[in-house]
Amino acid sequence: MRETMLSTPEGIRDIYGAECERKHYIIDRIEEVLHLYGNRDIETPTFEYFGIFNSDKGSAPSNEMYKFFDRDNNTLVLRPDFTPSVARCVAKYFANEELPIRLCYTGKTFASLEKHKGKLAEITQIGSELINDDSSAADAETIACMIDCLKASGLREFQIELGEVEFFDGIIEDAHLGDEIEDKIRDYIQIKNFFGLSEYISELEMPEDTKNSLNSLSSLFGGIEVLDKARSLTSNDKALLALERLMRVYKALSYYEYEKYISFDLSMINGYDYYTGIVFSGYTYGTGNPVVKGGRYNNLLSKFGKDAPSIGFSVYIDELMNSLTRQNIPFDNNGKKALIVYTIEHQESALRLAKSLRDNGTVVQLIRKSKKHNEDEYLRYSDTYEVGKIYILIDEETVRIISSDRSVDEERNIEDLNV
């Protein structure tokens, strides 16, 4: 019983101390970038009706959702994905808006995964959605914003891979396959099982050039030269237009001078079925999973009654935190911290000093001295909680100041302090 009371469910964990502080710092920095791009905040419910995310919306599979019932027996789910929630809100509150809508969000999504996969079931995400703009310029703006968000977190080495759902759709539509076969091919591509894909399509009746194009997907990754190679593999208009659009996006990103962050992977489909055009994922050292994902979803809002092209992305904060830690990227929020240790006799001076420090932007902890603890214990405490300076009141007018690295250890008059 005690073990159950102190533990968390599989895939759920506590975050506290320096890790939690860094997490909130990173979220704050990313939010600043999102607001600089003109995004306005939106909050959607943690749980919604099941129909918001069911199969016709192309969101998470039903067996990956946490479901429960309200008192009227309606099926509710914990939010597995932000995009359908935002789409519902836009269709409801911006039904007649035809010009671009920029929205950003922060919150948690929930996925009921198979046991022992080692993945989190509760994931913190922060992202944005750009509605009512179907241009390649909007694609480039979204990707540039995403890059700036990763840079703001402290990340320096990362790669954004671009794909195009329409390229794959164009290749496969010439084969005139049934939905079941097409879904099977998508599954092979989704998990990058190109050996299985090659074996599977070898038994199918389809044009040889389509088979060659599908088998070539495994090699269509790399720099801008990939687009030229892809053009030589198909004559399908939809696929060629998709490649042309990727070229325009790349050109726009070059104006931001962000080419070094961009590569291409034309086998990328990106999971959710609602994606219709460009898709992208961001990778870095320290994790095998993407730290950011997104793409264009031009048909999703029509499911809620508003026909509007859209594109968005989401940063996976937990994966980003893993990467920053494993890359030994230092965390410095430039915040000043202090600890004031005092006796009850000197409480007035201690509180006045604390107020003065706080008024100047210093984070202050106050501890009233106890006979149970000696001075060395308070010093160790200040080290544990990364306090920059410790102030020990000697009397109403005098304070001993000790720096975190012990390079400073001096007595000063409180009135003379320049805090």
Side-chain angles (χ1 to χ4, degrees):
M1 179 65 179
R2 177 175 172 79
E3 182 180 349
T4 304
M5 291 295 290
L6 296 179
S7 63
T8 61
E10 185 169 354
I12 310 293
R13 70 188 189 99
D14 300 309
I15 303 176
Y16 60 94
E19 182 184 9
C20 193
E21 183 179 347
R22 184 174 197 175
K23 179 176 181 177
H24 285 282
Y25 173 80
I26 289 170
I27 289 173
D28 288 345
R29 299 292 79 76
I30 292 176
E31 282 183 339
E32 286 180 10
V33 173
L34 294 174
H35 293 154
L36 287 172
Y37 274 78
N39 290 281
R40 302 186 68 183
D41 294 313
I42 186 171
E43 292 185 5
T44 64
T46 304
F47 59 89
E48 300 209 45
Y49 290 118
F50 171 67
I52 302 300
F53 306 99
N54 64 9
S55 59
D56 77 310
K57 307 300 189 302
S59 187
S62 176
N63 63 353
E64 291 185 4
M65 298 185 201
Y66 286 99
K67 305 184 192 72
F68 54 103
F69 302 96
D70 64 14
R71 63 179 62 195
D72 296 320
N73 214 33
N74 295 305
T75 304
L76 308 177
V77 296
L78 291 177
R79 175 180 56 213
D81 175 18
F82 267 101
T83 301
S85 289
V86 175
R88 176 190 58 76
C89 286
V90 171
K92 181 177 181 179
Y93 301 111
F94 301 90
N96 298 318
E97 180 60 74
E98 297 180 355
L99 291 173
I101 303 165
R102 292 174 171 84
L103 300 171
C104 61
Y105 57 82
T106 304
K108 300 198 174 174
T109 58
F110 305 86
S112 179
L113 303 173
E114 293 181 31
K115 290 185 176 182
H116 313 303
K117 280 196 169 184
K119 293 185 177 181
L120 290 174
E122 181 184 50
I123 301 169
T124 302
Q125 296 186 23
I126 179 170
S128 78
E129 311 292 344
L130 174 51
I131 318 294
N132 283 338
D133 193 337
D134 193 26
S135 67
S136 60
D139 296 350
E141 176 186 319
T142 299
I143 296 167
C145 178
M146 184 172 64
I147 290 171
D148 284 339
C149 286
L150 294 181
K151 291 171 64 179
S153 75
L155 207 59
R156 290 294 172 263
E157 296 186 58
F158 57 89
Q159 200 71 19
I160 307 299
E161 295 184 350
L162 307 185
E164 244 288 355
V165 173
E166 294 280 275
F167 176 73
F168 169 78
D169 288 346
I171 289 175
I172 208 166
E173 74 175 9
D174 289 341
H176 305 291
L177 303 173
D179 291 342
E180 185 177 341
I181 295 175
E182 189 172 318
D183 288 343
K184 185 71 172 178
I185 292 174
R186 286 179 185 274
D187 289 342
Y188 278 118
I189 295 173
Q190 180 67 40
I191 62 175
K192 304 292 187 183
N193 184 359
F194 295 110
F195 292 107
L197 173 66
S198 180
E199 183 178 358
Y200 179 68
I201 64 176
S202 67
E203 305 297 326
L204 299 177
E205 291 187 10
M206 67 168 67
E208 284 301 315
D209 57 346
T210 302
K211 287 185 179 181
N212 291 335
S213 297
L214 290 172
N215 282 323
S216 296
L217 287 175
S218 62
S219 64
L220 292 180
F221 63 90
I224 190 66
E225 69 280 355
V226 165
L227 301 187
D228 289 330
K229 181 178 179 179
R231 284 191 195 93
S232 68
L233 295 173
T234 182
S235 59
N236 180 272
D237 289 340
K238 180 185 287 188
L240 292 173
L241 286 172
L243 296 174
E244 179 59 33
R245 186 177 179 106
L246 282 176
M247 180 61 79
R248 292 200 302 271
V249 171
Y250 183 82
K251 184 177 181 180
L253 288 169
S254 71
Y255 300 150
Y256 288 94
E257 300 182 349
Y258 283 165
E259 305 99 309
K260 70 176 182 178
Y261 299 112
I262 303 300
S263 62
F264 297 89
D265 179 0
L266 296 182
S267 69
M268 186 190 305
I269 298 177
N270 233 18
Y272 294 137
D273 291 340
Y274 52 64
Y275 288 123
T276 59
I278 192 170
V279 288
F280 35 83
S281 295
Y283 295 89
T284 187
Y285 304 110
T287 176
N289 299 313
V291 294
V292 62
K293 293 178 72 173
R296 178 163 287 283
Y297 52 98
N298 283 354
N299 299 329
L300 179 59
L301 270 82
S302 64
K303 304 286 187 181
F304 299 97
K306 179 180 174 66
D307 188 12
S310 310
I311 185 171
F313 70 89
S314 187
V315 180
Y316 295 80
I317 295 296
D318 305 278
E319 294 293 347
L320 180 58
M321 292 276 291
N322 288 338
S323 301
L324 293 169
T325 300
R326 290 167 183 167
Q327 292 181 37
N328 295 315
I329 295 175
F331 167 52
D332 180 13
N333 65 357
N334 298 315
K336 297 179 290 182
K337 298 179 181 179
L339 172 66
I340 298 176
V341 180
Y342 67 98
T343 60
I344 188 63
E345 293 83 7
H346 307 136
Q347 184 178 35
E348 181 179 355
S349 293
L351 298 184
R352 290 183 182 278
L353 176 58
K355 183 180 185 305
S356 180
L357 288 166
R358 287 171 180 150
D359 287 346
N360 284 276
T362 300
V363 176
V364 179
Q365 297 183 56
L366 281 158
I367 296 183
R368 199 173 80 181
K369 259 187 179 179
S370 168
K371 293 180 181 179
K372 297 179 181 178
H373 304 290
N374 59 40
E375 188 174 285
D376 286 341
E377 288 179 280
Y378 291 118
L379 290 173
R380 287 196 295 272
Y381 177 89
S382 71
D383 293 338
T384 299
Y385 290 94
E386 300 177 333
V387 173
K389 289 182 180 178
I390 180 169
Y391 296 79
I392 303 175
L393 268 72
I394 297 173
D395 54 40
E396 288 291 332
E397 298 179 350
T398 311
V399 62
R400 181 183 173 197
I401 305 174
I402 306 172
S403 63
S404 58
D405 61 2
R406 309 298 188 264
S407 62
V408 174
D409 188 341
E410 61 182 5
E411 291 186 10
R412 297 282 301 277
N413 187 292
I414 294 176
E415 296 296 328
D416 295 337
L417 291 179
N418 181 17
V419 298

